Amino acid sequence: MADTPKPLVLANARVIDPARNLDAPGSVIIVDGTVLAAGPEAANQGAPYGAEIVDCRGAVACPGLVDMCVSVGEPGHEHRETLASASQAAAAGGITTIVTLPETNPVIDDPALVDYILRRARDTAIVRVHPMAALTRAMAGAEMTEIGLLKEAGAVAFTDGHRSVASAQTMRRLMTYARDFGALIVHHTEDPTLSGGVMNEGLNASWKGLPGIPREAEIIMVERDIRLAALTRARYHANLISCSDSAEVIRAAKARGLDVTAGVSINHLTQNENDIGPYRTFFKMSPPLRDEDDRRAMIAALADGTIDIIVSNHDPQDVETKRHPFAEAEDGAIGLETLLAAALRLYHAGDIDLVSLLACMTSRPADRLGLDVGHLSRGAPADVVVFDPDKPWVLEKSAIRSRSKNSPFEDARFSGRVLRTVVAGRTVYEYA
């Protein structure tokens, strides 16, 4: 991205900018990698000298997606995913900013490793990459990391990835420490002493002869964390909730004015435990897919604003870890390329309007992380996705860009296709 891209005009578009509550016909004018104008007011401004003009033919142009829950194998597990391959997958899915989890080898728990991720991203990635750093050394849940130094090095938030901090005392200290630096804690809410199963606890697990994970494993941890957040006045984000009772806890916390937000994976909004079918390991993930009542509760919580953010929970696993009997397979599914398309299922089903849906993947995660992306205001970084919300397509395994292929949406039919992805004014993906 060293040289300056030439001006770009995305004309005849349906411009949606959730940050401004804008949904209107218009254009997006991009100069020097930033937004010059976006919306109806841009339609009659003409084009800058030498601009490339793209006729969007009524397709949606909105801020590029911000995905704040992405696992990347680099460093240590490059055979599963690299920053380069993850960024290619993200661009194809309309995601222009990925926020990586620290669960690599070694774990990102040192300022030098934060710097390593930033430098590798600068040299190899085609979308923006921001790392989260570990809450505890080696994500072991015991010794706190140097949050201040890690934040200074470039970490945008702090998490132990898909592990929970079991000790309430440790979490209290972490929240107190993080508060003093204004740092955001992003926590996986699953009590490890209750989560010894491999799928949602219930009749379905019993019929399959598999040990279940009770909903209480999540609910207890969410309730504990909210009480600690109230005690310490910390900035807290429950990363992946999946149960109706968890949403109720978050809803009550917000009503009390706590600085608390919640996220949900697109899998838990569009799939349930029945999708596991005959022990299909691509549907084994953490937290586990719940029943249909919980899935509907997650959608309701998303629609009323209790849940703020939708993530892909991109977690690449290769055949060596996924092609096993269900109970022995690793958790995780890829999702960068299908985040937007899967989310549009909620819009097409009438569960949520398009502006609110896109806010959960653009302005809200950007605001929570303090990133100047996710909006199309004048002077904003020109990160834009153009997509046709009605264009049908099928996810074929051979077309997946991630190094790992463990998608629960393999062979799925979608309505909604990314046509173009722009990062800093430069086209990084174009649908052929």
Side-chain angles (χ1 to χ4, degrees), residues 180-317:
D180 293 341
F181 293 99
L184 177 68
I185 287 183
V186 177
H187 199 218
H188 186 75
T189 50
E190 194 170 61
D191 187 324
T193 63
L194 276 175
S195 57
V198 298
M199 67 173 290
N200 183 47
E201 184 173 281
L203 281 177
N204 209 330
S206 298
W207 290 332
K208 285 181 164 54
L210 295 172
I213 302 173
R215 300 163 73 252
E216 284 72 16
E218 174 179 303
I219 300 162
I220 288 172
M221 187 63 80
V222 173
E223 288 184 328
R224 184 206 73 173
D225 284 358
I226 293 302
R227 289 184 180 276
L228 292 175
L231 179 66
T232 60
R233 305 188 311 283
R235 299 180 64 221
Y236 174 81
H237 178 75
N239 194 28
L240 297 166
I241 67 170
S242 62
C243 305
S244 58
D245 288 358
S246 299
E248 287 298 328
V249 176
I250 298 294
R251 190 174 288 119
K254 288 186 170 185
R256 294 169 58 193
L258 301 181
D259 191 356
V260 167
T261 50
V264 64
S265 89
I266 189 59
N267 301 310
H268 292 80
L269 290 168
T270 58
Q271 297 166 337
N272 65 30
E273 61 181 356
N274 295 324
D275 287 298
I276 293 172
Y279 304 93
R280 299 166 69 188
T281 60
F282 285 5
F283 293 84
K284 185 172 186 284
M285 54 192 75
S286 179
L289 292 172
R290 304 292 183 182
D291 62 25
E292 179 63 7
D293 288 343
D294 276 322
R295 188 186 77 85
R296 294 304 308 177
M298 293 300 96
I299 294 173
L302 186 76
D304 71 16
T306 300
I307 293 177
D308 308 86
I309 294 165
I310 303 172
V311 298
S312 70
N313 193 17
H314 182 78
D315 191 5
Q317 302 289 337

Side-chain angles (χ1 to χ4, degrees), residues 384-415:
V384 186
V385 56
V386 179
F387 68 92
D388 180 343
D390 299 312
K391 188 175 182 61
W393 64 287
V394 177
L395 180 69
E396 297 176 352
K397 182 179 179 179
S398 60
I400 293 175
R401 287 168 173 76
S402 293
R403 287 196 172 187
S404 297
K405 310 298 179 186
N406 53 309
S407 172
F409 294 108
E410 185 179 314
D411 296 327
R413 298 178 182 275
F414 294 112
S415 292

Side-chain angles (χ1 to χ4, degrees), residues 9-257:
V9 177
L10 303 172
N12 301 320
R14 176 185 173 186
V15 180
I16 296 180
D17 186 5
R20 295 185 289 159
N21 197 29
L22 173 68
D23 181 359
S27 301
V28 180
I29 302 175
I30 297 169
V31 176
D32 293 336
T34 61
V35 175
L36 183 66
E41 72 274 14
N44 299 317
Q45 289 191 16
Y49 176 75
E52 176 187 4
I53 300 175
V54 176
D55 187 350
C56 295
R57 301 180 180 181
V60 172
C62 75
L65 274 55
V66 179
D67 187 354
M68 64 176 286
C69 187
V70 178
S71 296
V72 177
E74 188 174 359
H77 300 290
E78 286 83 354
H79 60 290
R80 296 181 187 172
E81 194 80 286
T82 63
L83 289 162
S85 61
S87 72
Q88 294 281 350
I95 298 167
T96 53
T97 298
I98 61 175
V99 181
T100 58
L101 301 180
E103 48 195 12
T104 50
N105 185 18
V107 169
I108 308 302
D109 60 2
D110 185 274
L113 292 167
V114 173
D115 181 64
Y116 170 81
I117 294 294
L118 292 172
R119 284 187 289 109
R120 285 291 295 168
R122 179 199 62 196
D123 295 341
T124 65
I126 61 172
V127 303
R128 301 179 195 274
V129 178
H130 295 279
M132 286 194 276
L135 275 170
T136 62
R137 291 285 182 193
M139 299 194 313
E143 182 184 357
M144 294 192 299
T145 55
E146 293 285 355
I147 289 177
L149 294 177
L150 289 163
K151 186 178 181 186
E152 190 175 314
V156 296
F158 298 85
T159 181
D160 273 0
H162 289 89
R163 297 185 190 177
S164 299
V165 177
S167 166
Q169 181 66 277
T170 300
M171 181 54 91
R172 177 183 179 177
R173 289 173 178 161
L174 283 165
M175 286 187 177
T176 303
Y177 192 40
R179 178 203 61 201
D180 293 341
F181 293 99
L184 177 68
I185 287 183
V186 177
H187 199 218
H188 186 75
T189 50
E190 194 170 61
D191 187 324
T193 63
L194 276 175
S195 57
V198 298
M199 67 173 290
N200 183 47
E201 184 173 281
L203 281 177
N204 209 330
S206 298
W207 290 332
K208 285 181 164 54
L210 295 172
I213 302 173
R215 300 163 73 252
E216 284 72 16
E218 174 179 303
I219 300 162
I220 288 172
M221 187 63 80
V222 173
E223 288 184 328
R224 184 206 73 173
D225 284 358
I226 293 302
R227 289 184 180 276
L228 292 175
L231 179 66
T232 60
R233 305 188 311 283
R235 299 180 64 221
Y236 174 81
H237 178 75
N239 194 28
L240 297 166
I241 67 170
S242 62
C243 305
S244 58
D245 288 358
S246 299
E248 287 298 328
V249 176
I250 298 294
R251 190 174 288 119
K254 288 186 170 185
R256 294 169 58 193

